[in-house]
Amino acid sequence: MKRKITILVFSLILTMTLCTVVAAEGHGHKQPMKKGILLVAFGSSMSEAQVSFKNIDKRVKNAFPGVPVRWAYTSHIIRHKLAKEGKQLDSTEMALAKMMDDGFTHVAVQSLHTIAGEEYHELVQNAYAFGQMSGGFERILVGYPLLGKEDDLVKVTETIIKNIPKDRKKEDAVVLMGHGTHHPGNAFYAAMMYHFQQKDPNIFVGTVEGAPTIDDIKGLLLKKKIKKAYLMPFMSVAGDHARNDMAGDEDDSWKSILTKAGIKCVPVLKGTAEYNDIVDIWVAHLKTVLVHF
Ligand code: CO
């Protein structure tokens, strides 16, 4: 059996793989073309966070009418937690297996992650495996996460700035909470802070699980004698991290840490996927994938 596998890898900053094209041909009989979209998010167990997913779903369906849209969630913990409440959500592998079974031949997988970190790279690997599989998809491609090209960083900066509460004064800080990771993709958060500060020197970007930490940010705020800070999630959903780690009343929340340092905090509980201009960046990435079909 003759099999040709083509892999095109576009590598960008940080040697990360942003968009992988996997094509496999020659599976004997050819199926009729059936295109599909798979949206892949980390997931959230909080019902308040669903507004973000609904907004993405709506905008993707509007942009690509007639193309079936399916969802998958990468977080094990969240899927298991929701399964106990009777909500069955698919992992990426499960969703792709079902799509394969349902006769899809061309699948555009869109990462709804913010940076190209571990989750994104796993997604690319799994998509690749499904493309190679005997009887697998003819074509499966993965779209960039939110921060793909330098352009995206600029657009994200502008959109977030537009959405800062209007009562914020120039001397007030805006502290964005990114997720953060041990993965080298973590460097995007510092890159974002650079972009923000080019436009507004009082905007800061910290992370929950990587660098810069909230202690780093606290130090920067104190050095600038900041008295008030608006706290905003730099995550697609205002879920557990935003509601607890950022805005919660526990001693180790960002609100508590900064309040204790003499900085008045105003939490804003809105995920980035609630802003249409941000969702449209993911949609644009999906479009660059779908044009290959
Ligand atoms: Co987390």
Side-chain angles (χ1 to χ4, degrees):
M1 189 171 74
K2 191 187 131 212
R3 175 176 294 179
K4 201 179 100 198
I5 298 166
T6 317
I7 308 154
L8 297 170
V9 178
F10 305 105
S11 287
L12 226 68
I13 352 171
L14 299 168
T15 71
M16 68 188 184
T17 320
L18 287 175
C19 176
T20 304
V21 180
V22 183
E25 289 164 30
H27 291 298
H29 58 278
K30 218 168 153 72
Q31 280 178 281
M33 186 187 195
K34 187 175 174 185
K35 284 193 268 188
I37 291 169
L38 179 65
L39 302 176
V40 183
F42 179 77
S44 176
S45 56
M46 296 192 123
S47 53
E48 299 95 319
Q50 302 309 316
V51 55
S52 286
F53 298 139
K54 279 196 193 121
N55 196 35
I56 296 171
D57 191 71
K58 191 183 84 194
R59 294 189 81 75
V60 167
K61 282 173 181 163
N62 283 345
F64 311 105
V67 185
V69 176
R70 298 196 178 183
W71 280 80
Y73 300 87
T74 50
S75 168
H76 240 267
I77 299 169
I78 286 165
R79 272 185 285 112
H80 285 257
K81 204 168 154 188
L82 289 174
K84 280 190 199 141
E85 295 168 20
K87 287 179 211 124
Q88 296 295 334
L89 301 176
D90 286 339
S91 63
T92 311
E93 302 80 68
M94 184 62 88
L96 287 175
K98 284 181 183 171
M99 289 180 93
M100 199 182 261
D101 214 41
D102 291 341
F104 284 89
T105 57
H106 292 69
V107 178
V109 180
Q110 180 56 48
S111 151
L112 298 175
H113 303 101
T114 299
I115 60 154
E118 195 174 285
E119 307 251 331
Y120 173 75
H121 285 98
E122 272 177 18
L123 186 58
V124 170
Q125 268 184 312
N126 286 340
Y128 174 69
F130 271 86
Q132 277 199 312
M133 213 176 278
S134 178
F137 303 115
E138 254 176 70
R139 218 146 200 227
I140 173 164
L141 300 92
V142 181
Y144 297 161
L146 181 66
L147 304 177
K149 302 169 267 84
E150 195 63 17
D151 252 19
D152 300 328
L153 278 72
V154 174
K155 264 186 251 162
V156 168
T157 304
E158 286 166 359
T159 306
I160 302 251
I161 288 178
K162 257 197 300 192
N163 284 285
I164 292 170
K166 296 286 168 272
D167 55 358
R168 177 244 173 178
K169 299 191 179 67
K170 230 173 60 206
E171 63 270 24
D172 301 334
V174 174
V175 176
L176 292 157
M177 176 191 257
H179 193 279
T181 170
H182 57 276
H183 189 277
N186 190 72
F188 272 103
Y189 297 106
M192 279 310 301
M193 182 142 75
Y194 168 80
H195 276 279
F196 279 118
Q197 296 199 345
Q198 294 299 301
K199 303 255 179 208
D200 182 332
N202 281 345
I203 303 182
F204 301 83
V205 183
T207 68
V208 193
E209 288 173 23
T213 63
I214 184 57
D215 284 333
D216 297 331
I217 301 298
K218 186 179 85 178
L220 295 172
L221 297 181
L222 292 176
K223 214 155 79 186
K224 293 190 90 177
K225 302 194 168 33
I226 299 283
K227 295 277 174 287
K228 187 176 174 185
Y230 286 76
L231 310 180
M232 295 171 74
F234 188 57
M235 301 183 202
S236 59
V237 302
D240 190 47
H241 285 306
R243 284 162 210 276
N244 296 314
D245 300 324
M246 188 186 85
D249 292 325
E250 301 280 308
D251 279 353
D252 57 354
S253 78
W254 287 24
K255 187 180 85 180
S256 299
I257 290 168
L258 295 180
T259 304
K260 216 177 287 167
I263 299 162
K264 192 173 175 246
C265 291
V266 185
V268 181
L269 291 173
K270 237 176 153 188
T272 56
E274 292 179 59
Y275 309 130
N276 289 340
D277 289 347
I278 298 251
V279 175
D280 289 346
I281 297 174
W282 279 299
V283 171
H285 293 172
L286 187 51
K287 197 173 270 168
T288 60
V289 158
L290 278 162
V291 293
H292 290 278
F293 297 168

